[in-house]
Amino acid sequence: LHSQESRMSAILTHEGSSEEQLLNNLGSNLNLTDEELQVYPPPSSYPLKTYDDYSMVNDPVSKQAQTVAELPEDLQVHCKENLHEEITKGVLRKKLSKMRHLCVTQAIKPEYLDSIMPEIIRLFHPQQVQYNGGVANVKAWKISTYLEVMPGGVPCTNPCLPLLDLCVPLLDCVDAMFTHWYKQQHACNKPGQPKRTEPYKVKRVMNFITRYTAHPKEQALLKHVDGAGKVSGSAVLALPIDKWTGPESIMSFEGHGGGVRFWDGSAVPSKQTEVHYPTRSGDVAFIDRAVWHQADPITKGTRWAMVIFYDVE
């Protein structure tokens, strides 16, 4: 058994056990102390809204902040210092290799993510969705909770609004980072061409939180392009290792895979360069349209990530 959930499932198969016995069994199976054993209310206590109740889906949030510096001060404190300069320099280096992605370490401060991660875990409730044709050969995807979905309720009609409410400040921060990265990535470098003066209009069109496990079909999201290449770009934020629902020695995937891998630098597959980043809490990967990448498999523990798809005008 590779996770706390599977252990719980095995324990619950013992019919006739009292709730107290079940909790004691769970603690002994995981070697948890009373203080470490946290039992959250079932997901039904946090009902997901229906598509009809979701007013944001057909009117995605449009952000005007073009850099982190334009965010309110109460949001800037969650972001890495001198991030504007780091993104600008990072894009220039990547362009020299014709790369259309960038990974920034601890762009979001890990201590801020630690402060909201227990509530993210509490509200997280995986939703099974069916992708037309599949994503990375996986048609039935069931390890993500969706905060915002595309028009028409794609890929699901019941986004988790309590989780969205919790993550709005975090999303605002990543939106501003993505906007600045996108502006630098698409800046005209050819002599004689006019420089863009109007601000970019960046809209989130979908975002979700994914929990990878060591279970088959939950370990990774293999080579793919986001949004079937129909979104302007995306951002992937690495979330903290879960040290709230079990011992970190069990929940951690350190030394057992993970990270993000890219194939970039050319439109010709045989000429692409493969690049791997061992992403950890707070790291953000910015990805241009139709860049091939994957979430590498883990063989132990759990790995959490937030993914955001964007449309840019």
Side-chain angles (χ1 to χ4, degrees), residues 10-68:
I11 293 166
L12 291 177
T13 59
H14 295 284
E15 297 181 2
S17 298
S18 67
E19 180 179 358
E20 182 178 357
Q21 289 173 321
L22 291 174
L23 296 181
N24 289 336
N25 288 340
L26 177 62
S28 62
N29 272 265
L30 291 174
N31 297 318
L32 299 179
T33 65
D34 290 340
E35 290 76 17
E36 292 173 320
L37 180 57
Q38 301 180 46
V39 180
Y40 296 117
S44 58
S45 299
Y46 311 100
L48 301 177
K49 299 294 184 69
T50 65
Y51 177 69
D52 292 337
D53 297 327
Y54 183 40
S55 60
M56 294 181 69
V57 68
N58 286 316
D59 185 21
V61 177
S62 181
K63 298 298 177 187
Q64 298 303 316
Q66 302 291 295
T67 68
V68 172

Side-chain angles (χ1 to χ4, degrees), residues 7 62 73 93 104 145 150 189 230 260 282 285 294 307 312:
R7 286 177 171 84
S62 181
E73 290 185 5
R93 287 192 293 267
V104 179
T145 294
M150 293 183 175
N189 296 322
K230 298 178 181 178
V260 181
Q294 75 176 25
V307 181
V312 181

Side-chain angles (χ1 to χ4, degrees), residues 154-225:
V154 178
C156 68
T157 60
N158 56 340
C160 183
L161 298 191
L163 192 50
L164 174 61
D165 290 341
L166 171 67
C167 293
V168 163
L170 176 58
L171 290 166
D172 286 348
C173 292
V174 180
D175 290 350
M177 295 176 189
F178 176 87
T179 302
H180 178 61
W181 168 80
Y182 190 90
K183 180 179 179 180
Q184 297 299 316
Q185 182 66 39
H186 290 266
C188 178
N189 296 322
K190 295 182 180 180
Q193 290 196 4
K195 183 179 179 181
R196 180 188 176 109
T197 56
E198 66 272 18
Y200 283 93
K201 293 183 179 179
V202 176
K203 297 180 179 180
R204 294 194 306 266
V205 293
M206 185 167 76
N207 71 85
F208 52 93
I209 291 176
T210 297
R211 178 188 60 191
Y212 298 99
T213 77
H215 290 193
K217 297 186 179 181
E218 296 184 2
Q219 297 172 303
L221 181 56
L222 299 179
K223 193 174 181 181
H224 66 284
V225 295

Side-chain angles (χ1 to χ4, degrees), residues 1 53 60 73 83 133 135 151 162 224 251 284 310:
L1 297 177
D53 297 327
E73 290 185 5
L83 187 59
V135 176
H224 66 284
M251 308 304 288
V284 179
Y310 291 98

